[in-house]
Amino acid sequence: AMGSFDPESALFTGRVDGELATELPMELTAELLERGKTRYDAFCAPCHGLAGDGNGVIAYRGPLQVPSLHNERLRTVAIGYYFDVITNGINRMYSYAHRIPPEDRWAVAAYVRALQLSQFADVNELNAEERQQLGGQ
């Protein structure tokens, strides 16, 4: 709608009041995570690996050291950090701002969080139904 575009919003900058956003600027849905997975697999997995462990094909074939998305520092950064890195690049990683639209950058950031949770979930925090889905543990 006319007049509703705010280029300074968290959706486009990854920041709230100048600080990295700590929450998604959109609703977290299964569709958003699926979109994030699709974009992650296409753009991020070649270096970071499908599991986010830094063992992608590009990293495997060259002298490139790609950080695992599961290290302590990256598991605890604000979610806006991922949006910012995808947008602006970091170290040898170039910007994807012209390749991935802002909404999809957030979808990737949400998917990265899901990947991280999948590797560090504590089975003791699951309810009985969730444990049963894992195989009756």
Side-chain angles (χ1 to χ4, degrees), residues 33-132:
L33 287 176
E34 184 59 38
R35 181 67 180 175
K37 180 185 183 323
T38 301
R39 302 289 81 197
Y40 177 91
D41 289 352
F43 292 102
C44 310
C47 293
H48 289 283
L50 289 173
D53 55 10
N55 293 321
V57 173
I58 301 297
Y60 178 75
R61 295 185 64 163
L64 200 60
Q65 277 236 282
V66 179
S68 169
L69 299 173
H70 304 296
N71 72 43
E72 182 66 24
R73 182 183 72 80
L74 293 178
R75 284 189 298 121
T76 59
V77 296
I79 196 163
Y81 173 82
Y82 294 103
F83 180 89
D84 187 70
V85 168
I86 296 166
T87 302
N88 299 305
I90 190 169
N91 300 325
R92 290 186 178 182
M93 181 180 151
Y94 51 81
S95 166
Y96 284 87
H98 297 293
R99 296 169 184 86
I100 306 174
E103 293 85 353
D104 285 354
R105 285 180 243 155
W106 282 113
V108 169
Y111 180 70
V112 165
R113 277 292 192 247
L115 270 179
Q116 292 168 330
L117 289 172
S118 75
Q119 301 300 305
F120 288 91
D122 183 357
V123 72
N124 296 318
E125 293 180 9
L126 301 177
N127 64 38
E129 181 182 337
E130 293 166 333
R131 285 184 191 199
Q132 188 173 18

